[in-house]
Amino acid sequence: WFELGTFKFQLGDYAGAEATFNKVLAGKNDDRTARYFLGEIALKRKDWAGATREFERLAELEPSRFFGPYGLAKVALAAGKIDDAVEKLRVAFSKGIEDVAGVREDPAMAPLLQDDRVKKMIAEEANKRGAITSREFRAAPVCDVVLPRSRT
């Protein structure tokens, strides 16, 4: 089911991907990857409550990883809550975002990149972590799956 859901997501069939990932959760309620993609689908639909629910659950399931807080930063930003988005991004960085360039390239984060606090945070993280490239990051497993590449 997982591969089918990922494929549908990559094609932009969010309804199909959502149905597929919900089937995954029916069999395994705490599947991290399904939660991640359901959060992304909710974001695309501007369903802030649904996205928040999925990313908060993901943060509970993986408290030491950055995916939940990073998703929550994207939700806060999309909802116009800049200060909250900055704080959630700070939490995500504290949990180990290795790819600072990936944050810069994430279209969902574009409006936040002009914020001086975020510019400073990204510069500090890049220096601290010796940031890896976006290409290396996209090839790294995310919740046991590779993130879909952008179509650009």
Side-chain angles (χ1 to χ4, degrees):
W1 290 113
F2 174 75
E3 291 81 8
L4 179 61
T6 304
F7 181 69
K8 288 180 179 183
F9 182 88
Q10 290 173 337
L11 291 177
D13 176 8
Y14 302 123
E18 180 180 36
T20 302
F21 286 120
N22 280 325
K23 286 181 183 177
V24 170
L25 291 179
K28 182 180 178 186
N29 190 31
D30 285 339
D31 186 271
R32 301 174 317 267
T33 305
R35 297 269 177 214
Y36 170 81
F37 278 105
L38 287 170
E40 288 291 329
I41 291 165
L43 262 178
K44 292 191 180 301
R45 292 183 174 158
K46 300 181 182 351
D47 173 8
W48 312 143
T52 298
R53 180 180 58 252
E54 296 300 343
F55 290 127
E56 283 178 346
R57 183 67 183 134
L58 181 58
E60 290 171 13
L61 293 170
E62 296 187 318
S64 65
R65 300 198 63 197
F66 69 88
F67 302 107
Y70 187 76
L72 290 168
K74 291 176 16 175
V75 173
L77 179 58
K81 299 176 182 177
I82 303 301
D83 290 338
D84 190 33
V86 170
E87 183 53 33
K88 300 288 192 226
L89 186 59
R90 187 178 320 280
V91 171
F93 273 120
S94 76
K95 294 184 182 287
I97 293 179
E98 295 91 4
D99 180 26
V100 175
V103 175
R104 288 186 194 122
E105 294 172 4
D106 185 345
M109 287 298 195
L112 199 58
L113 298 178
Q114 301 309 311
D115 187 289
D116 288 336
R117 297 168 294 178
V118 173
K119 288 179 183 178
K120 181 179 177 187
M121 189 185 327
I122 288 174
E124 289 171 356
E125 289 299 322
N127 289 334
K128 184 179 0 176
R129 299 184 190 282
I132 64 172
T133 67
S134 293
R135 178 175 293 127
E136 291 168 322
F137 180 74
R138 284 201 250 337
V142 174
C143 301
D144 303 327
V145 68
V146 175
L147 284 174
R149 294 180 188 267
S150 67
R151 295 187 188 155
T152 59

